[in-house]
Amino acid sequence: MSLNILKQICCATLIALVLSPSLSSARFQDGYGPREQRRFTHLSYPPARRDDQVDTYHGIEVPDPYRWLEDTQAKESQDWSMAEEDLTREFTSRVPANKAIHDRISQLVNYDLYSAPRLLNPPLIKRNGRYFFSKVAAGSSNPVLYVRESIGVAPRVVFDAEARYRDDKLNLVGFMPSPDGHFVACTLASDQSSWLQLRIVKVDDGSELPNALNGLHVAGGSISWSKDSKGFFYTAFDKPAEGTQQRATVKNPKIYYHTIGQAQANDGLIYTRPDKPAWLYTYLVTDDGRYLVVICAEGSSQQKQVFYKDLTAHNGELVSLVNEADADYTLLGSEGPVFWFYTDLHAPRGRIVAIDTTRPLPDHWIEVVPEGREAIAGRSSVGGNALGMFGNRFVLMYLRDGRPLLRVFDSKGHLQQEINLPAGGSIWGGLSGEQHDGEVFYQYLGLTDPSTIYWLDVAKGQNSVFIRSNAEFNPDNYVIDQVFYKSKDGTRVPMFVAHRKGLRLNGNNPAYMYGYGAFGWLSFVWYQPQIIAWLDMGGIYAQPSIRGGGEYGEAWHQAGMKLNKQNAIDDYVEAARWLIDNKYTSPAKLVANGGSASGALAGAAIEQHPELFGASVIDRPVLDLLRFDKFTAASYWKPEFGSPSNPEEFKALRAYSPYHNLERGRCYPPTLIMVGDKDQIAFPAHAYKFTAAMQTAQGCDNPVLLKIMHGAGHNFGATPQQNADNWTEELSFLVRVLRMEASGLLIKSAAR
């Protein structure tokens, strides 16, 4: 994942599109002073045609005047977006601190990153005594796959996709070694695409087997090898027509078995459900190689069904093990016919149960690790799903008010060890190891920790650093606190707050507040170069752990999803009030930020309470919640956000969808919308439509600007330099609209 995955106008007369003339710097003369007194000279936005498109949902007419911007490749859309970008570039380039910001961020992005690629593989995978990991060298954006023959041996390159496929611009996004350690299945993407191809590489010499596999997608998850290393299971989707990949819906997943050395056309179809077109599959071959366990969910839903297939039986069929989609399930390990699962059935904070396939009914399940006071982080591999069975012990990540700790239990459920992790960050990409091997590897990310891979010996109880990434800053210069506040309905919500040591909390500090609150994912602070630069400029960074996340288990998740989304928005808004009331910042200096699934969170917050924010940055967002399911893999998100085709869920979506709740004539904070032009997760039309609508609705001279990140997918840039350029524009925008005197602070505080 990310990740680590979402949200919203009016109707009027048709006007002809006229491209903006050359931009005059005179338009950017603006005043300084208190928020109620300051004025920006009105910007001349590129004209955006308003159509009379109206859709009817459950008898309610909803205008969509900027539907034409959904065709992002049309000349009219491209001309409009280019003019918007010119306007933004001229606005931000006039900031005196621009070069100092760029220089500092360029330092902070320049480091070696030891990490898993985009598909959220574990950071290091051991197979038959060999250790596989990836590294992104300083100045590059492309992972290279390495292997160590043993812990003490220097690593060697196995596969460098950038060097091998320079002309095709292929990039490594995932890998999975075979059990015998002789092959690696490498998934590759071209030019930020979410559609993948797969190639099989020989570990000994780096050569490839023929017959690349196509039709894979990031929504389909990873692969699982058979125990004999002769092949693997994978998911393929209907591949869209050439040229339509960016917006085409992802559909019809099928599980196949591929035998290495054969053509993809000969792959065996293992499972498909035409009657369940929205199902997604995860699967795993058990450690003994006997069973394939398949877990099915309706899109992003955490209510799952479980099937298994006896691989030793000739033409064995999938057998139902859990036939009601009533809870979450994750396979941890097995011993003969007994499977161990994490589940939140009758335990919203999670527990571990043993299910015997010969007596599968819930009445016969054996509880091994009962539900505890803290939640097990079993929700997702983005800051969670750090659980498994290693060395015949259960290793589980728990959450104490959203702060992670590891607990090791023996096979009978007796606690053997507890490991506290640094505050604020989290494990990323899960745990890596084998069921009967006591070595466990995991990657920790934190605000001041770009990436550390740890090695845990569960038998000896030893936990140590395996390899660490280091960037150009001193972690000791920063403070990360956790505070608690009450939301609108009295719910106690935790929040991380970070700043440089010695900063005076006098109510005059600029503060940047990010929230997520979706999919049950854990909200944790991770290393972001632009945020370190922001702290160096005297800023504060705040991140509330709002409902919709997984900090307190499934109940916390459900309290902020679907029909309950307003709870998450209220949590975010009350975090803003707390920061203001406790003198961390003021309304004139507080920045609302959300991105991806939480773009709608920030958009709804500034629409419902514009008086609380001095600016907003909304990046890579989904903002039209009545059409989000029409693009890419977003139809799989309906279990989280709701479906516009459901009357009750439509009502909830319409109530907070940012694109649909702008009020013409109301004064909104200065707003920057950022979008990758190659984003296949949050389709760029969301940002385009919202920008055009907000510019039209804006009732004061506060700027509304669109930043197009060229070459970027669902990230901030295709290269570290593009990241630095885009983050510089973001911070320059904030320096200007918040009246920050940043250059001296930046240069002074950047010194170690």
Side-chain angles (χ1 to χ4, degrees):
M1 347 234 2
S2 282
L3 329 42
N4 326 174
I5 349 200
L6 304 155
K7 308 174 185 139
Q8 324 191 9
I9 234 169
C10 317
C11 186
T13 56
L14 211 60
I15 56 174
L17 175 69
V18 181
L19 289 180
S20 177
S22 60
L23 302 174
S24 167
S25 61
R27 288 180 295 163
F28 299 106
Q29 300 297 324
D30 45 47
Y32 290 79
R35 185 167 186 246
E36 62 274 12
Q37 297 175 2
R38 66 185 183 183
R39 294 289 184 270
F40 291 91
T41 298
H42 181 70
L43 301 185
S44 297
Y45 297 116
R49 169 167 56 86
R50 291 174 58 83
D51 286 345
D52 57 0
Q53 173 71 42
V54 175
D55 299 313
T56 301
Y57 299 85
H58 314 290
I60 299 173
E61 292 189 345
V62 180
D64 187 2
Y66 300 107
R67 176 75 59 83
W68 60 274
L69 282 168
E70 291 181 1
D71 186 356
T72 59
Q73 301 305 307
K75 185 177 185 302
E76 184 179 17
S77 297
Q78 292 190 340
D79 288 345
W80 174 85
S81 63
M82 288 174 61
E84 289 282 354
E85 185 176 18
D86 289 342
L87 184 68
T88 301
R89 188 180 301 112
E90 186 169 352
F91 186 91
T92 58
S93 66
R94 293 173 54 80
V95 174
N98 190 285
K99 184 179 185 304
I101 294 171
H102 188 273
D103 290 347
R104 181 61 179 137
I105 294 179
S106 295
Q107 287 179 327
L108 293 167
V109 300
N110 191 40
Y111 63 96
D112 291 340
L113 175 62
Y114 297 91
S115 139
R118 195 168 81 196
L119 283 186
L120 297 176
N121 294 88
L124 187 147
I125 301 174
K126 181 183 178 182
R127 290 291 184 268
N128 196 24
R130 286 174 156 174
Y131 299 83
F132 297 84
F133 65 95
S134 67
K135 173 186 173 182
V136 182
S140 176
S141 59
N142 299 305
V144 175
L145 179 62
Y146 290 82
V147 66
R148 282 183 172 178
E149 299 296 340
S150 64
I151 287 290
V153 175
R156 62 178 175 86
V157 173
V158 175
F159 184 67
D160 183 346
E162 181 182 28
R164 188 170 297 185
Y165 297 106
R166 191 175 302 277
D167 292 341
D168 295 329
K169 297 182 179 179
L170 290 177
N171 191 16
L172 178 69
V173 296
F175 65 89
M176 187 57 66
S178 61
D180 63 9
H182 292 315
F183 300 97
V184 183
C186 296
T187 45
L188 310 172
S190 176
D191 201 20
Q192 299 289 318
S193 176
S194 293
W195 288 93
L196 312 173
Q197 59 176 275
L198 187 148
R199 298 174 186 260
I200 303 167
V201 177
K202 293 182 179 180
V203 176
D204 289 339
D205 61 10
S207 63
E208 291 181 28
L209 299 183
N211 305 320
L213 277 63
N214 294 294
L216 289 77
H217 191 273
V218 294
S222 190
I223 68 168
S224 187
W225 284 84
S226 56
K227 190 69 174 179
D228 59 11
S229 298
K230 293 182 179 180
F232 52 81
F233 299 90
Y234 71 99
T235 300
F237 298 80
D238 292 350
K239 195 170 183 182
E242 194 65 32
T244 68
Q245 293 94 332
Q246 183 163 19
R247 66 176 293 169
T249 55
V250 181
K251 58 186 179 181
N252 295 331
K254 301 177 180 67
I255 302 175
Y256 291 94
Y257 180 77
H258 175 75
T259 302
I260 58 175
Q262 294 192 6
Q264 186 177 12
N266 297 326
D267 289 350
L269 177 63
I270 302 300
Y271 193 59
T272 182
R273 289 293 295 269
D275 61 320
K276 299 288 185 181
W279 271 18
L280 289 176
Y281 311 118
T282 57
Y283 36 84
L284 189 68
V285 175
T286 56
D287 187 71
D288 59 10
R290 179 173 177 178
Y291 298 102
L292 173 71
V293 178
V294 179
I295 300 176
C296 309
E298 189 88 6
S300 62
S301 172
Q302 298 303 323
Q303 279 65 56
K304 301 173 180 176
Q305 294 178 247
V306 182
F307 301 84
Y308 69 95
K309 175 183 174 70
D310 188 341
L311 298 176
T312 65
H314 181 66
N315 294 326
E317 298 294 325
L318 278 171
V319 178
S320 176
L321 184 64
V322 178
N323 56 21
E324 286 191 39
D326 54 2
D328 192 8
Y329 295 90
T330 299
L331 178 68
L332 304 185
S334 69
E335 197 68 48
V338 177
F339 298 158
W340 287 284
F341 284 93
Y342 158 86
T343 183
D344 56 14
L345 181 67
H346 308 312
R349 294 186 296 278
R351 60 180 177 143
I352 309 303
V353 298
I355 304 178
D356 189 330
T357 58
T358 65
R359 305 176 68 195
L361 295 179
D363 289 346
H364 299 298
W365 296 2
I366 297 174
E367 185 173 80
V368 182
V369 179
E371 180 182 31
R373 180 178 178 181
E374 294 94 1
I376 299 173
R379 180 57 64 221
S380 81
S381 57
V382 182
N385 204 26
L387 67 171
M389 195 171 191
F390 312 101
N392 295 318
R393 295 167 175 84
F394 300 107
V395 183
L396 311 174
M397 185 174 111
Y398 283 79
L399 300 170
R400 183 173 291 156
D401 295 320
R403 291 176 288 118
L405 61 145
L406 284 175
R407 288 178 177 149
V408 181
F409 300 84
D410 67 17
S411 60
K412 302 298 183 182
H414 300 124
L415 179 64
Q416 292 189 321
Q417 184 182 6
E418 182 169 296
I419 302 167
N420 286 304
L421 300 175
S426 184
I427 293 173
W428 176 272
L431 306 176
S432 177
E434 297 175 318
Q435 182 176 327
H436 298 290
D437 189 338
E439 285 188 313
V440 182
F441 294 90
Y442 62 92
Q443 180 184 21
Y444 177 85
L445 304 181
L447 182 66
T448 57
D449 188 342
S451 172
T452 299
I453 297 176
Y454 284 90
W455 173 77
L456 171 64
D457 186 323
V458 297
K460 298 179 181 178
Q462 296 177 347
N463 185 57
S464 57
V465 172
F466 182 76
I467 195 166
R468 170 170 281 151
S469 299
N470 294 297
E472 287 295 319
F473 68 97
N474 184 353
D476 294 335
N477 289 341
Y478 308 91
V479 175
I480 304 172
D481 292 322
Q482 187 178 41
V483 301
F484 296 86
Y485 65 94
K486 287 188 176 181
S487 190
K488 183 177 180 179
D489 61 1
T491 300
R492 179 177 178 264
V493 182
M495 175 166 57
F496 293 107
V497 183
H499 55 80
R500 285 185 64 89
K501 286 183 178 177
L503 185 71
R504 292 181 60 226
L505 302 179
N506 56 13
N508 295 319
N509 303 299
Y512 186 106
M513 188 176 75
Y514 168 79
Y516 193 76
F519 295 104
W521 289 357
L522 170 65
S523 178
F524 69 98
V525 291
W526 70 100
Y527 178 71
Q528 300 175 82
Q530 82 279 21
I531 298 302
I532 296 296
W534 173 260
L535 301 183
D536 288 346
M537 293 157 57
I540 290 170
Y541 179 75
Q543 188 167 315
S545 302
I546 63 179
R547 283 173 284 185
E551 289 75 10
Y552 296 104
E554 180 59 12
W556 192 257
H557 170 220
Q558 292 189 13
M561 64 177 282
K562 236 174 188 178
L563 302 180
N564 297 322
K565 196 63 183 180
Q566 187 59 47
N567 285 337
I569 300 167
D570 290 342
D571 291 353
Y572 185 83
V573 167
E574 293 307 313
R577 295 189 197 278
W578 189 94
L579 291 168
I580 294 165
D581 292 344
N582 287 274
K583 304 300 182 185
Y584 281 82
T585 189
S586 66
K589 297 291 184 68
L590 180 55
V591 181
N593 173 243
S596 189
S598 67
L601 172 76
I606 64 170
E607 288 176 356
Q608 294 178 17
H609 296 279
E611 74 284 355
L612 289 178
F613 302 100
S616 67
V617 175
I618 302 173
D619 53 75
R620 306 156 298 151
V622 174
L623 295 160
D624 180 349
L625 288 185
L626 301 186
R627 288 180 59 79
F628 76 92
D629 58 335
K630 306 297 184 187
F631 311 109
T632 66
S635 62
Y636 294 124
W637 305 335
K638 288 189 286 189
E640 177 71 21
F641 294 103
S643 172
S645 63
N646 178 294
E648 190 177 14
E649 293 169 3
F650 159 77
K651 183 178 178 181
L653 290 167
R654 177 66 179 83
Y656 77 92
S657 175
Y659 177 58
H660 299 95
N661 283 282
L662 290 161
E663 297 180 20
R664 189 157 190 166
R666 194 172 191 189
C667 183
Y668 296 105
T671 296
L672 176 66
I673 300 103
M674 304 178 71
V675 62
D677 65 343
K678 298 184 182 300
D679 195 336
Q680 293 183 17
I681 304 297
F683 185 46
H686 286 278
Y688 289 9
K689 292 170 67 175
F690 181 75
T691 299
M694 192 175 190
Q695 288 176 347
T696 299
Q698 180 65 289
C700 59
D701 291 335
N702 288 340
V704 177
L705 299 173
L706 176 67
K707 166 62 185 172
I708 300 169
M709 301 181 288
H710 290 283
H714 199 57
N715 49 38
F716 287 90
T719 68
Q721 189 56 56
Q722 286 176 314
N723 281 331
D725 294 343
N726 293 328
W727 284 327
T728 296
E729 285 207 59
E730 177 184 353
L731 293 189
S732 294
F733 169 81
L734 294 178
V735 166
R736 182 157 191 187
V737 299
L738 299 180
R739 307 332 199 261
M740 294 171 62
E741 296 179 3
S743 56
L745 279 170
L746 182 72
I747 295 169
K748 181 179 179 181
S749 63
R752 297 184 61 169

